[in-house]
Amino acid sequence: MPFRSQEHATHGAVMLDSHTTRFALWAPDARQVEVECENAAPQPMQRSDDGWFVLRLPCPAGTRYRYRIDGDLSVADPASRAQPDGVHGPSQVLGTEYAWQHPDWQGRPWHEAVIYEVHVGLLGGYAGVARHLPRLAALGVTAIELMPIGQFPGQRNWGYDGVLPFAPQASYGTAQQLKALIDQAHALGLMVLLDVVYNHFGPDGNYLHRYAQGFFREDRHTPWGAAIDFRRRQVRDFFIENALMWLHDYRFDGLRLDAVHAIDDPDFLHELARRVRASTAPGRQVWLTLENERNQAHLLQEGYDAQWNDDGHNALHVLLTGEQEGYYVDYREAPLNKLARCLSQGFVFQGQPDRNGEPRGEASGHLPPSAFVLFLQNHDQIGNRALGERLERLCPPQALRAATGLLLLAPMIPLLFMGDDWGCRQPFLFFTDHHDDLATAVREGRRAEFKGFKAFADPEQRARIPDPNAAQTFLDSQPQWGEDSEQWVALYRRLLYLRHQHIIPRLPGTRALGAQVLDGQGVSARWQLGDGSELRIDLNLGQQPLALDLPARERHLFESCELPPGPPCLPPLSCVVSLTPSCPTEPVHA
């Protein structure tokens, strides 16, 4: 029998049968709590010594309710499964009914992942994303990754300001539509991954400080306020139950944990992974990935499958654009050497001091390439720019084509951001939907972030940074088709065809054979694939051709530009990918 998260949940409103709901709220700082159901008198909940308030009521699915704290504060359920009227409206009891059309879907192996990150709101909600699925499957994508969808204030937000993490964002559609999106993806052979935020709550609509201060520890702070106190069992269970809900009730194929470097309790991460694995039926493939500035390689051997490799992106970004401000300071010295280290060992920072003089990272050369998610762009790397420019506006198209060849044919797990595949030139800006004083604080705080950048040193220059709360900022971020989009689609389709035909079947057992810098403007990297064949990628991001002993032409899988006649050389801003089979007589067909 499949695992059902509601049967094991301690937090929130859980239907025990078709007419009975158990309400449970951990509110250790409250004297009394009542359940306020629509069209019914408030009902007092029973308090236990450990701060729990519990009550069973005859409430069917669809019932709207709130919790009334100490007779004067009515709040949504922090573990609400549905918020049809937003974070300040009533919660809704959610039933489990959905007729899954593909209940036997077991997922896909991780080495087959080609991930496509999307913002659900910009693509038109859950139903809008579903309309893109056939195109993405035909392109060669094997997984879509949704930016966070836990209920946030207002109609538009990146999702990282969520305050009710169990409730799918209502402005994107219903829970049924979200399940239908996942069901349709599985029909097309696509995995669906979800970005989750377990390191903080958003500022608007979060009342936990009022009745459950134990969720937080004031002695430690994150960039978003007091740290979550994962030492408490009730707090750990809140987030672990959230993970289990997404994986089992909605049948997501994996989770990406946002900024775990802000989770100051490694044992929580270990427990979450253990409980996810223990709850997963034999044969089902579920994947856990991390964002982690600390480069803690040991986590990738203790329950987690991969980490987003910011090091690889940052080195490539410096090489492609020449930018060296902000966190790119760490990569301005010898960026080619840093890229070579990424390709051969995973992380750049494996204990070396960063720009602040602090040691960062752990040794990673022993990990397989599939432990690292590589990307040229993602929501952070575009949206955390003041004007949200994409690489299409920041570097020559020849350089971007070469880097795309590296991304899609290297043995790491590739991640694309929505619009990459058609050369989208619209920005992806930071947007929210806050109001009044909070809106002012967010707008001014956003602009203050860029005081240290030369282009925005003057207040008048910073005033050009779009207001996150303006509806136009959201509209300007909607990806649009361009004049050269067909050429970009053709490039991505070709590269992903090559990946599926020649790289993915050979990936299990792959190990790096090293990478070297070529004349201060290129990198050559090699890997032994699982069947003994050798993959080689030669990349020239300089302005001069590189004299190079390239593999024989018949071994080339991909050339990002036409190679000149004469002595072997790698033209400027180009990439050549070669595959030498383990059997010398085996041909390679591009």
Side-chain angles (χ1 to χ4, degrees), residues 94-267:
L94 188 66
T96 58
E97 68 284 348
Y98 178 81
W100 291 95
Q101 301 302 300
H102 304 281
D104 296 328
W105 168 264
Q106 296 283 65
R108 297 184 67 147
W110 179 244
H111 73 273
E112 295 181 359
V114 176
I115 306 171
Y116 195 90
E117 186 189 20
V118 303
H119 184 278
V120 175
L122 287 175
L123 293 188
Y126 306 128
V129 174
R131 289 191 288 270
H132 285 264
L133 297 180
R135 179 186 68 81
L136 294 174
L139 184 70
V141 169
T142 62
I144 61 167
E145 182 166 312
L146 309 185
M147 290 174 63
I149 59 173
Q151 188 77 37
F152 52 74
Q155 301 297 301
R156 54 189 183 273
N157 193 292
W158 272 21
Y160 298 90
D161 286 332
V163 294
L164 301 175
F166 286 79
Q169 175 64 21
S171 65
Y172 295 164
T174 65
Q176 297 288 83
Q177 288 175 311
L178 174 57
K179 290 180 179 179
L181 160 63
I182 296 168
D183 213 4
Q184 182 180 341
H186 291 167
L188 293 166
L190 293 169
M191 298 183 283
V192 188
L193 313 176
L194 178 64
D195 196 343
V196 292
V197 182
Y198 295 159
N199 50 57
H200 76 289
F201 292 90
D204 183 12
N206 172 26
Y207 297 97
L208 287 169
H209 281 94
R210 170 65 174 76
Y211 59 85
Q213 296 180 44
F215 258 90
F216 308 96
R217 52 184 306 176
E218 297 295 340
D219 62 325
R220 295 189 181 178
H221 285 74
T222 73
W224 311 284
I228 304 294
D229 192 351
F230 289 102
R231 297 171 299 178
R232 296 181 184 271
R233 170 50 50 196
Q234 297 90 341
V235 176
R236 284 190 176 211
D237 285 344
F238 181 89
F239 291 102
I240 292 174
E241 288 171 17
N242 181 262
L244 297 178
M245 180 197 75
W246 294 124
L247 293 170
H248 297 296
D249 297 356
Y250 287 88
R251 303 197 181 187
F252 279 94
D253 297 282
L255 303 175
R256 180 259 193 189
L257 276 64
D258 176 68
V260 301
H261 47 269
I263 296 176
D264 200 8
D265 192 326
D267 187 57

Side-chain angles (χ1 to χ4, degrees), residues 497-498 501-502 554-557 579 581 586-590:
Y497 171 80
L498 293 172
Q501 289 295 113
H502 297 287
E554 61 269 20
R555 302 299 181 197
H556 293 184
L557 279 182
L579 181 65
E586 180 185 344
V588 173
H589 301 288

Side-chain angles (χ1 to χ4, degrees), residues 386-387 443-468:
L387 303 179
R443 179 178 61 251
E444 298 309 315
R446 172 71 174 171
R447 290 171 177 172
E449 288 179 20
F450 297 95
K451 282 184 178 179
F453 289 77
K454 292 179 181 178
F456 300 99
D458 186 272
E460 291 186 6
Q461 296 168 325
R462 292 197 295 277
R464 296 190 296 114
I465 298 174
D467 179 358

